[in-house]
Amino acid sequence: MMLSRLMSGSVRNLEREYMCTVRLLDDTEYTCTIQRDAKGQYLFDLICHHLNLLEKDYFGIRYVDPDKQRHWLEFTKSISKQMKSQPPFTMCLRVKFYPPDPAALKEEITRYLVFLQIKRDLYHGRLLCKTSDAAMLAAYILQAEIGDYDPGKHPEGYSSKFQFFPKHSEKLERRIAEIHKTELIGQTPETSELKFLQKAQMLETYGVDPHPCKDVSGNPAFLAFTPFGFVVLQGNKRVHFLKWNEVTKLKFEGKTFHIYANQKEDKKIILTYFAPTPEACKHLWKCGVENQAFYKLEKSSQVRTVSSSNLFFKGSRFRYRAGLVPSRSCPSITHGPRLSSVPRTRRRAVHISIMEGLESLRDSAHSTPVRSVSHGDSFMPRSRSQMTDSGDRTAIISDESYSPSDSVLPTPVAEHSLELAVSRQINGAPCSIEEEKESEAGTPSVGDVAEFGADSRAAGPMQIAGREAPLSEAEQVNKFVLSVLRLLLVTIGLLFVLLLLLIVLTESDLDIAFLRDIRQTPEFEQFHYEYFCPLRRWFACKLRWVGGLLINK
């Protein structure tokens, strides 16, 4: 008897726990046992403690559901409730919010983890750049990995043994080896990593976690959120760039994703794109609003719980996490022995983790105003700030088309014939990328990368915004009416359920004072004899008839 109780107790304990494996940025794994009701924050804290990581805000835990949709783990929710699969769970730690200036990070372990993440981005094609920049980045990695060139240890073609990019030519390999042999001699691994971060941070695709979509013309595009704003990549060009303080609202409906922005001279812009699936669109929206909160809000107290819709809980509701990006002026934080004193081979065994992003920002009319953080003064080197302020809206990002190999959803981008038809009816026929560039040629952009100067011939997302402004109010009125109707239907349904419950209670044998009072009223007696009793006899007759049929069979 006692043995059976002990065994049953052990089984119950096992059912309350499960194994969780987190793959770190150096491809090692951290495995732990988690209580079934443990929240995401508990797992994230375990990994940060394991890594001795203090600058946590840049990292998160990512997982993929059975439908191949990626998600960031939400820290305020139970892990088991977020995972759609059965334990044991497998997740990975990644950089979720890229530092605007990674070289300014206080902790060496944080810089090293960001270095590993950017190296992965380069390998998987997310950090796409011109050939000259690619050769320099690869040479820095080579110097950090193997040190100075040694003819005795490094035979001809030694750089080809390292896979820096999804694909590269022999010419690029020779250029990488040439830079490593001649320009980086004497650099320590720490210096090479720092130079790598500084070089990568200047690229147009730095911090890009691409989301595959299609524009209103059906052309494929990649949407991404960076430390500096929202970008759209098509082909080998960055076709749109909006600073975070210009984006007023992010919104999704099914597969459709909208970006609302205000630019100089009160120019309003609405960009519309279509995600492969509704889940992919929701993930895109979550990533967008959490990135905007992280880089735009100055205080955590400004974080609000919001939803993708305005009324009566339609859409998604959640509380996003706003991190405070440390500036150069903040004091250095130390913990235990400095990482510089730890052997490099030990630092190479670093593990990492990931987390989940959420939430949508309302447009400025419905939200409390927030003061934007001046990233140009606090984080960015002068060259990056100048480039961001004076660049053109359309920028060449590489010598080839942007096509990340291992960072996008495996699900195909579906054809959106219905969505495209509706969008064209509302917004007008959009122009192609070539027409947009032609219209832009006569209106040079000065002083701001996100300035969308275009003439009246362009019918792309810019003029979509101009014509859709009055329709947006009608859309809001329609949504309000639909929400009121939903509320009315729900109220009527609840009243009907309560009425049925009251009838059942009054016709029961419960001896409660307020039920006795109801039974003694003339109205109840009339209802009981004229309606309830005949209805009860009718139901009893039908039940006997059905019972007789079943018995005869």
Side-chain angles (χ1 to χ4, degrees), residues 149 154-158 176-185:
Y149 170 72
H154 307 136
E156 187 70 22
Y158 69 99
I176 294 170
E178 179 184 348
I179 296 175
H180 178 239
K181 293 176 183 178
T182 59
E183 299 182 25
L184 305 182
I185 295 177

Side-chain angles (χ1 to χ4, degrees), residues 402-431:
Y402 189 80
S403 181
S405 61
D406 192 38
S407 61
V408 300
L409 298 177
T411 51
V413 178
E415 296 297 330
H416 304 287
S417 56
L418 177 61
E419 292 95 329
L420 295 178
V422 173
S423 178
R424 289 192 175 99
Q425 289 175 4
I426 296 177
N427 302 328
C431 69

Side-chain angles (χ1 to χ4, degrees), residues 19-206:
M19 299 297 295
C20 184
T21 299
V22 179
R23 293 173 181 168
L24 306 179
L25 282 170
D26 61 351
D27 292 325
T28 59
E29 294 184 349
Y30 174 77
T31 302
C32 58
T33 302
I34 300 293
Q35 295 292 324
R36 184 164 293 276
D37 59 350
K39 295 184 178 181
Q41 185 68 52
Y42 176 76
L43 177 60
F44 184 67
D45 290 341
L46 277 181
I47 298 169
C48 291
H49 178 73
H50 173 73
L51 298 175
N52 205 20
L53 178 64
L54 285 185
E55 294 172 300
K56 305 177 183 180
D57 286 344
Y58 302 105
F59 302 90
I61 299 177
R62 172 172 276 163
Y63 66 94
V64 181
D65 66 21
D67 297 326
K68 307 299 182 183
Q69 173 61 52
R70 297 186 305 167
H71 302 273
W72 288 106
L73 189 68
E74 294 186 43
F75 288 174
T76 58
K77 295 183 179 180
S78 168
I79 298 174
S80 60
K81 291 182 179 179
Q82 296 182 61
M83 308 296 288
K84 297 181 181 179
S85 58
Q86 295 297 320
F89 300 136
T90 300
M91 293 171 267
C92 56
L93 184 129
R94 296 291 181 261
V95 172
K96 184 177 182 181
F97 303 109
Y98 286 74
D101 184 5
L105 294 169
K106 297 299 180 181
E107 297 292 324
E108 185 178 353
I109 181 64
T110 314
R111 291 195 298 272
Y112 178 62
L113 295 179
V114 174
F115 166 78
L116 291 177
Q117 176 67 65
I118 299 176
K119 190 169 75 167
R120 297 179 72 94
D121 295 343
L122 192 67
Y123 172 72
H124 291 301
R126 294 186 290 266
L127 183 67
L128 194 65
C129 55
K130 297 181 180 179
T131 304
S132 56
D133 295 325
M136 198 73 214
L137 290 172
Y140 283 135
I141 296 175
L142 205 57
Q143 181 70 19
E145 294 290 341
I146 65 175
D148 291 340
Y149 170 72
D150 185 346
K153 296 180 181 179
H154 307 136
E156 187 70 22
Y158 69 99
S159 63
S160 62
K161 298 179 180 179
F162 295 84
Q163 188 71 23
F164 303 110
F165 316 102
K167 57 181 180 178
H168 51 83
S169 63
E170 293 184 2
K171 181 179 179 181
L172 180 58
E173 289 179 1
R174 289 194 297 269
R175 178 56 183 158
I176 294 170
E178 179 184 348
I179 296 175
H180 178 239
K181 293 176 183 178
T182 59
E183 299 182 25
L184 305 182
I185 295 177
Q187 273 193 12
T188 64
E190 292 83 357
T191 302
S192 297
E193 291 172 5
L194 185 62
K195 296 287 186 182
F196 175 88
L197 294 176
Q198 292 172 337
K199 181 70 175 178
Q201 180 254 334
M202 301 295 295
L203 301 176
E204 295 291 345
T205 52
Y206 168 73

Side-chain angles (χ1 to χ4, degrees), residues 270-325:
I270 301 176
L271 303 178
T272 300
Y273 291 90
F274 303 101
T277 64
E279 280 297 318
C281 193
K282 181 179 179 180
H283 176 66
L284 171 64
W285 170 71
K286 287 183 177 182
C287 291
V289 296
E290 197 169 25
N291 272 271
Q292 184 174 16
F294 187 88
Y295 295 113
K296 182 179 178 181
L297 301 184
E298 186 176 9
K299 296 178 180 179
S300 296
S301 58
Q302 293 173 327
V303 177
R304 298 172 294 112
T305 300
V306 294
S307 94
S308 61
S309 182
N310 290 335
L311 294 170
F312 306 128
F313 313 108
K314 180 184 178 182
S316 294
R317 294 175 61 83
F318 51 86
R319 181 177 177 85
Y320 54 82
R321 186 190 68 156
L324 297 178
V325 183

Side-chain angles (χ1 to χ4, degrees), residues 223-232 238-250 257-264 267-273 292 388 392-393 448-452 461-462:
L223 277 58
F225 311 102
T226 74
F228 314 102
F230 167 79
V231 297
V232 179
R238 184 201 67 199
V239 296
H240 291 301
F241 173 75
L242 294 171
K243 294 181 179 180
W244 283 126
N245 59 3
E246 295 173 336
V247 177
T248 59
K249 184 179 180 181
L250 300 174
F257 181 68
H258 304 282
I259 305 98
Y260 297 74
N262 288 334
Q263 293 191 310
K264 292 181 179 178
K267 185 194 299 183
K268 293 185 179 181
I269 295 175
I270 301 176
L271 303 178
T272 300
Y273 291 90
Q292 184 174 16
T388 304
D392 193 3
R393 178 176 72 85
D448 193 270
V449 175
E451 185 64 36
F452 284 95
M462 292 177 295

Side-chain angles (χ1 to χ4, degrees), residues 47 104 118 198 208 210 229 331 339 397 487 530 552:
I47 298 169
I118 299 176
Q198 292 172 337
V208 165
L339 283 170
I397 61 174
L487 179 63
E530 293 185 10
N552 292 333

